[in-house]
Amino acid sequence: MAAGLIPARSVKETLLSMPSIDHVIQASKAAGSKGMLDEEMLDSLLVEKQEQVAVVARTIAPISEPEPVAPARIHNLDHYRLEDFPMHARDVDAEITVHFDITGNSVTEGKKEDIQSCFKDRLKQIRRLILDKNLPNRPIAVNEAVRQRKQLDNRDSPFTVIGLVNNSRTTKNGHLIFSIEDATGEITCLLSQRDEDDINQEIVHAGLMEDDVIGVSGYFSQTGDLMYVDDIHFPPLGKHQRRVAGEDRAVSAAFISDLHLGSKTFLEPQWHKMIQWFNEEPRAKTVRYLVISGDGVDGVGIYPNQDKELNIPDLFNQYSRLGTMLQDLPDWVEVLLLPGNHDAVRPAEPQPALDPELQTDYTNTMFVGNPCDFSLNGVRVLSYHGVSIMDIVSSLRTVTFERPEAAMKAMIDRRHLAPSWGGKTPLSPEPEDRLVIQEIPDIFVTGHVHGHHMETYKGVNLVHSSTWQDQTNYQRMLGFQPKPCILTVVNLHTHAMAAIPFV
Ligand SMILES: [Fe+2]
Ligand SMILES: [Fe+2]
């Protein structure tokens, strides 16, 4: 609407199915189109964008279609030594403990009171974490601060409040302005772009997310209607000490995501290559677990005209085929399967596991919800499909689809998987907000964006699991290059990580 476009009801589904509508807005600006955004206008804007992409491609190289570039082959296996695994995974008992899974535990009725209690609970949980930090002074309630605003206008004696962020935006002069709300009231806050503190500079540049829970320290303006912010407080996180599986339980966990089986772009030959690796490669004898972080199948009716891009048009057949394919894995591999936004479960997160009637053709698979917090041989894993990465990309200037790990770091720093209500991530308002990261995981894994990444951040192993789907027409149109067919493995004893490509 800010771009002068009023979306018609008929294009709602199409817009919601897009990872980002930025390209539509850009195309409308370029074409000078304003007013009712109906199907006809949307089609013409998308065609225009496609032409722009083609023009850009022609400028760089005179080839009509931009050729997808294969991701870099990663062969850093030298540190992933077989000697680190004294036992064959087959001889190590599977120890899976689930700490959180919404399956069978959803209690919300989706009422206004549920939404209120979800937010109240989020504030309570994250507030408690922020209080563990060395704050400059004891936080007070917002209404108490407002009551005392005449005395709280001295920059030398700041006060602190903790609450939810609302309406965060950048002013024309580059300052960050937002509101902080707790159960007692709301204050408008300003973080100056002239602030010399590096952390504040980073926040001014990145922005904040709607419904983030933060603490702010500062003082009131002379007029008492604005709080000048000196410091922003996220929950503290020093270097996390990872739990390890004992030497006698040294096995690997492997991670993939987004197979999109049933779609014509599922990379079946590469899948068979991986199955062959599992059955023949000595290192595969260390892999006790395979975690699939959602979108195992492409689903049916997920976006307009999806049927044209499916080679298995029936949902039951898609799940049945996936179950059969997983049975080709060696018998020592235990699969954990989460749902994603393409799966046949409610889209609102937390999502429950697949229905038992879809689980019939699986013999080696444990079905869990999304997100799921579990331990594998004592190592704590948090697996989340990652739909909220889209909201993080559109909220924080430091995060792009090419760098999903930046979104994962933002989640860890905020201790929340999907902070913003009313964005692209459908959320189920459970009275207890279970998307708060209550326990810092040893391995944090996401998917959904079809990239690949692994690194250790503040002691947490971050894994952005690779997809098994080739570039889709839609991604081609956006100029997005996925990084498919890379298996990530983590040694649960040493936490060594390796990426094994099958492209
Ligand atoms: Fe996906
Ligand atoms: Fe997804």
Side-chain angles (χ1 to χ4, degrees):
M1 290 189 78
L5 296 168
I6 304 163
R9 194 178 291 259
S10 57
V11 298
K12 183 180 161 191
E13 285 304 307
T14 317
L15 291 178
L16 287 173
S17 68
M18 295 178 173
S20 162
I21 58 162
D22 293 348
H23 60 292
V24 175
I25 294 171
Q26 279 170 18
S28 82
K29 279 188 183 153
S33 310
K34 283 194 173 167
M36 182 65 77
L37 177 62
D38 54 12
E39 280 165 281
E40 201 185 324
M41 191 199 286
L42 184 61
D43 281 348
S44 74
L45 292 178
L46 291 176
V47 167
E48 218 152 285
K49 182 71 193 168
Q50 245 168 331
E51 281 166 1
Q52 282 174 12
V53 170
V55 169
V56 171
R58 275 199 296 275
T59 317
I60 295 165
I63 301 167
S64 55
E65 274 285 284
E67 278 301 307
V69 186
R73 290 180 67 84
I74 310 158
H75 274 298
N76 47 350
L77 293 180
D78 300 347
H79 64 294
Y80 212 85
R81 299 172 313 157
L82 274 175
E83 302 85 80
D84 289 337
F85 299 90
M87 296 177 73
H88 187 317
R90 176 185 274 148
D91 302 321
V92 178
D93 285 340
E95 289 173 48
I96 307 173
T97 313
V98 175
H99 307 288
F100 170 69
D101 177 350
I102 196 70
T103 314
N105 298 314
S106 177
V107 291
T108 183
E109 290 175 31
K111 291 187 180 153
K112 200 174 152 203
E113 298 81 66
D114 292 320
I115 302 174
Q116 284 168 343
S117 78
C118 183
F119 276 102
K120 248 192 197 159
D121 182 65
R122 177 191 301 184
L123 182 53
K124 192 171 125 195
Q125 291 191 58
I126 300 181
R127 182 187 157 88
R128 201 179 297 148
L129 297 170
I130 295 173
L131 288 174
D132 284 343
K133 196 169 172 166
N134 262 343
L135 296 172
N137 39 50
R138 187 185 65 83
I140 55 175
V142 167
N143 65 349
E144 199 183 324
V146 172
R147 226 179 3 248
Q148 298 179 43
R149 61 185 178 278
K150 293 259 161 12
Q151 294 85 54
L152 295 175
D153 64 349
N154 180 353
R155 69 164 61 209
D156 297 324
S157 53
F159 68 96
T160 301
V161 290
I162 298 177
L164 291 147
V165 171
N166 278 331
N167 212 4
S168 165
R169 61 209 184 272
T170 306
T171 67
K172 268 192 211 139
N173 301 330
H175 307 304
L176 185 68
I177 197 158
F178 55 95
S179 305
I180 282 286
E181 182 186 8
D182 71 5
T184 68
E186 195 166 357
I187 310 185
T188 306
C189 304
L190 184 135
L191 182 62
S192 169
Q193 62 116 337
R194 286 190 290 272
D195 195 301
E196 279 166 12
D197 182 86
D198 285 351
I199 297 169
N200 286 349
Q201 272 302 316
E202 247 170 66
I203 297 170
V204 169
H205 170 63
L208 288 166
M209 289 195 67
E210 291 297 292
D211 307 319
D212 268 341
V213 176
I214 57 170
V216 285
S217 300
Y219 57 97
F220 273 110
S221 61
Q222 291 294 310
T223 50
D225 56 358
L226 190 65
M227 175 180 180
Y228 292 120
V229 176
D230 290 328
D231 282 308
I232 290 198
H233 314 285
F234 284 104
L237 180 61
K239 193 172 179 314
H240 171 67
Q241 283 297 326
R242 285 187 298 257
R243 285 145 278 215
V244 296
E247 207 174 343
D248 56 336
R249 299 185 297 165
V251 289
S252 304
F255 299 89
I256 55 173
S257 185
D258 297 83
L259 275 53
H260 289 269
L261 185 70
S263 127
K264 286 178 184 164
T265 38
F266 169 64
L267 292 162
E268 185 154 356
Q270 287 82 342
W271 175 267
H272 293 304
K273 223 167 147 183
M274 182 183 73
I275 292 292
Q276 192 184 2
W277 179 90
F278 263 105
N279 285 292
E280 293 173 6
E281 157 71 35
R283 281 189 183 87
K285 294 187 172 51
T286 74
V287 180
R288 189 72 180 84
Y289 307 102
L290 174 66
V291 179
I292 305 178
S293 297
D295 288 357
V297 301
D298 205 51
V300 171
I302 306 294
Y303 57 89
N305 297 323
Q306 185 188 15
D307 48 334
K308 295 191 187 108
E309 305 198 13
L310 294 178
N311 61 5
I312 307 178
D314 178 85
L315 189 67
F316 283 89
N317 292 344
Q318 290 181 3
Y319 282 111
S320 165
R321 177 87 187 102
L322 178 59
T324 319
M325 275 179 11
L326 292 174
Q327 286 173 34
D328 294 336
L329 287 163
D331 58 6
W332 59 82
V333 180
E334 184 83 25
V335 179
L336 282 97
L337 185 67
L338 278 82
N341 55 314
H342 278 251
D343 283 278
V345 295
R346 74 170 189 202
E349 299 172 2
Q351 295 179 285
L354 288 180
D355 260 13
E357 57 177 12
L358 296 170
Q359 300 179 4
T360 47
D361 294 309
Y362 295 74
T363 53
N364 53 356
T365 301
M366 179 169 165
F367 296 86
V368 292
N370 167 48
C372 190
D373 171 9
F374 52 94
S375 292
L376 300 176
N377 294 17
V379 173
R380 193 93 173 219
V381 182
L382 176 61
S383 178
Y384 169 55
H385 179 58
V387 169
S388 72
I389 295 173
M390 297 193 293
D391 285 316
I392 301 180
V393 167
S394 50
S395 306
L396 302 181
R397 274 182 284 268
T398 42
V399 185
T400 60
F401 283 111
E402 283 71 29
R403 295 184 58 239
E405 67 277 15
M408 297 175 74
K409 292 175 189 176
M411 293 180 208
I412 293 277
D413 287 341
R414 290 162 161 71
R415 298 285 191 99
H416 204 282
L417 294 173
S420 300
W421 178 271
K424 290 169 190 131
T425 317
L427 297 172
S428 170
E430 302 295 333
E432 191 186 340
D433 186 353
R434 296 308 304 261
L435 296 178
V436 172
I437 303 175
Q438 297 178 337
E439 184 78 29
I440 295 292
D442 305 314
I443 302 172
F444 177 35
V445 50
T446 62
H448 183 63
V449 180
H450 298 203
H452 178 263
H453 189 80
M454 51 181 207
E455 83 171 84
T456 305
Y457 175 67
K458 298 185 179 173
V460 180
N461 284 345
L462 302 182
V463 176
H464 184 74
S465 280
S466 170
T467 175
W468 236 263
Q469 185 179 35
D470 204 354
Q471 191 184 41
T472 60
N473 287 335
Y474 180 65
Q475 290 168 341
R476 190 182 299 263
M477 189 186 83
L478 297 180
F480 178 77
Q481 181 62 54
K483 293 181 184 162
C485 307
I486 302 168
L487 180 76
T488 311
V489 286
V490 181
N491 177 338
L492 297 181
H493 175 56
T494 63
H495 279 282
M497 295 196 277
I500 304 157
F502 295 95
V503 282

